[in-house]
Amino acid sequence: MTIPEKMAAVLLTGHGGLDKLVYDRDVPVPTPADDEVLIRVTACGMNNTDVWVRQGAYGTEDDPSAVSTWRRQGNTLTFPRIQGTDTVGHIVAVGAGVDPKRIGERVVVDFSIYNRDDDSLTDIDYMGHGRDGGYAEFMALPAKNAHVVATDLTDIELATFCCAYLTGERMLERARLSAGERVLVTGASGGVGSAIIQLARARGAIPIAVAGPGKEAAMLDIGAEAVVTRGKGDLVEAVHAASHGQPIDVVADLVGGPLFNDLLKILRPEGRYSTAGAIAGPVVQLDLRTMYLKQLELHGSSQGSRADFRRIVGYIESRKIRPLVGGVYPLSEFHRAQTDFMAKNFVGKLVVVPDER
């Protein structure tokens, strides 16, 4: 194809409201550097991280209310920035050092910027933050991060996996969830939560979902053993009933806020708590006595390793996980897409596509 000089993209111009997201049709198409490829974007999934970075909602270790971006290891976000992590597209050009035969490949983007040669995530970053992402018609990225996936799923379906499932898989890895164990999943109808339900089943574990009213049937359909309706009665009692009195080995929490202490009560002695989100509030009260008297483990988790990503690709190719498309939006209607995303009246993932798609 003939590669144009300009493209449409959504630019994050600063921290703040939706007005900081500008749809611009006059953005220069990036040129792939050495060992990079240029893809024509066909779909990009939406995530909570997009919203929190726009809002500057990550705080600092000294001030939880401070306007701050995602990384604790030093800011790499500059404006304007093209966000978007869960990108699918077709390679249309390659930089020096990349085999031209790769042109034409359909690829899923591993959005992580690892900054290290091993699987440590101590200096992790991501495309859409440390460099431009996929809310655009074209995207340049390292060739090693562009992966062909052997599947007949559509581009839109593939765009539902990467960030949510990678995050969920890392949470379960850190908590060492194994076959036969029970895991309680909060925020279960969202992208990461619904991913964890499927990933738990792929491990032979038993997921119990906590979800909002009206989403119970959808949770059962994707593999939840039982569903606890959020905000309906006492959570501890409801989970006990849902598990038929069987112990909860792992809590995979994406909500935080007022639920936190109840989640620690629900865990069995020597249980493991893993979190990668705090949509109900990041600052919680912790009774250290509950933690040490029950011998609990608390794990913080974010993104995933190269090995985690390879397992996700394997799950896709073996059909152990399936896409959950909650809605599709043209790139030019990005404000509407993110407004609907924040309302949380869907199950799975919302996907944005360039208008011409």
Side-chain angles (χ1 to χ4, degrees):
M1 63 169 293
T2 301
I3 300 171
E5 294 183 0
K6 302 289 185 178
M7 67 176 181
V10 174
L11 303 178
L12 177 65
T13 60
H15 294 304
L18 288 170
D19 60 296
K20 297 298 184 181
L21 294 166
V22 177
Y23 179 70
D24 189 340
R25 296 190 57 82
D26 198 36
V27 178
V29 172
T31 300
D34 293 356
D35 300 317
E36 291 189 349
V37 297
L38 179 71
I39 65 171
R40 184 182 186 185
V41 176
T42 53
C44 189
M46 187 169 284
N47 293 285
N48 280 315
T49 306
D50 302 329
V51 178
W52 280 47
V53 167
R54 167 174 60 78
Q55 295 172 338
Y58 284 96
T60 66
E61 292 180 356
D62 296 322
D63 182 3
S65 64
V67 174
S68 177
T69 188
W70 180 81
R71 271 172 53 97
R72 286 286 194 260
Q73 306 92 332
N75 182 37
T76 58
L77 177 67
T78 58
F79 301 113
R81 172 64 74 222
I82 301 172
Q83 294 181 289
T85 60
D86 291 14
T87 312
V88 177
H90 298 257
I91 296 177
V92 294
V94 298
V98 181
D99 189 342
K101 291 181 180 178
R102 293 207 63 183
I103 293 175
E105 289 180 354
R106 183 178 75 154
V107 296
V108 174
V109 174
D110 178 357
F111 62 91
S112 294
I113 302 172
Y114 292 103
N115 291 323
R116 291 175 56 130
D117 293 331
D118 58 17
D119 266 352
S120 170
L121 302 182
T122 58
D123 191 25
I124 199 78
D125 201 354
Y126 71 89
M127 301 174 201
H129 184 275
R131 62 180 289 164
D132 285 339
Y135 292 143
E137 292 179 316
F138 294 89
M139 175 185 174
L141 66 141
K144 62 185 179 183
N145 288 69
H147 296 264
V148 175
V149 180
T151 178
D152 58 1
L153 294 174
T154 67
D155 295 358
I156 287 171
E157 289 172 328
L158 278 176
T160 65
F161 287 116
C162 191
C163 184
Y165 286 74
L166 187 65
T167 299
E169 180 68 6
R170 185 64 178 181
M171 290 175 70
L172 299 185
E173 273 291 291
R174 294 220 65 190
R176 304 184 308 281
L177 181 71
S178 61
E181 290 192 312
R182 288 171 179 79
V183 54
L184 182 70
V185 185
T186 68
S189 64
V192 180
S194 57
I196 291 173
I197 290 174
Q198 295 192 63
L199 293 167
R201 286 297 190 188
R203 290 169 174 255
I206 303 167
I208 296 173
V210 180
K215 298 177 180 178
E216 296 87 352
M219 297 297 92
L220 295 171
D221 181 60
I222 63 174
E225 185 78 3
V227 183
V228 174
T229 305
R230 188 184 67 245
K232 186 177 180 181
D234 181 84
L235 180 65
V236 178
E237 293 178 359
V239 172
H240 184 78
S243 69
H244 301 289
Q246 296 299 306
I248 301 298
D249 303 284
V250 171
V251 166
D253 182 24
L254 302 160
V255 175
L259 291 182
F260 179 75
N261 272 316
D262 280 347
L263 297 175
L264 298 193
K265 293 178 187 176
I266 287 166
L267 273 173
R268 67 163 172 84
E270 296 187 342
R272 290 96 70 195
Y273 169 95
S274 182
T275 181
I279 56 177
V283 179
V284 299
Q285 287 188 325
L286 168 61
D287 188 334
L288 289 171
R289 295 166 297 186
T290 300
M291 181 179 172
Y292 70 71
L293 290 173
K294 292 180 70 175
Q295 311 277 350
L296 301 179
E297 296 180 26
L298 273 62
H299 296 276
S301 184
S302 183
Q303 288 183 230
S305 67
R306 297 175 182 88
D308 297 327
F309 185 87
R310 288 192 294 270
R311 280 196 301 278
I312 295 302
V313 171
Y315 289 150
I316 296 170
E317 293 181 338
S318 62
R319 298 180 181 271
K320 289 186 177 180
I321 56 178
R322 60 187 174 95
L324 298 171
V325 181
V328 181
Y329 299 78
L331 188 65
S332 62
E333 296 184 24
F334 194 86
H335 282 198
R336 180 170 69 88
Q338 196 158 96
T339 298
D340 289 352
F341 178 87
M342 291 185 292
K344 303 296 183 187
N345 294 320
F346 61 93
V347 173
K349 291 291 290 289
L350 301 187
V351 179
V352 175
V353 298
D355 286 44
E356 65 180 31
R357 307 297 300 180

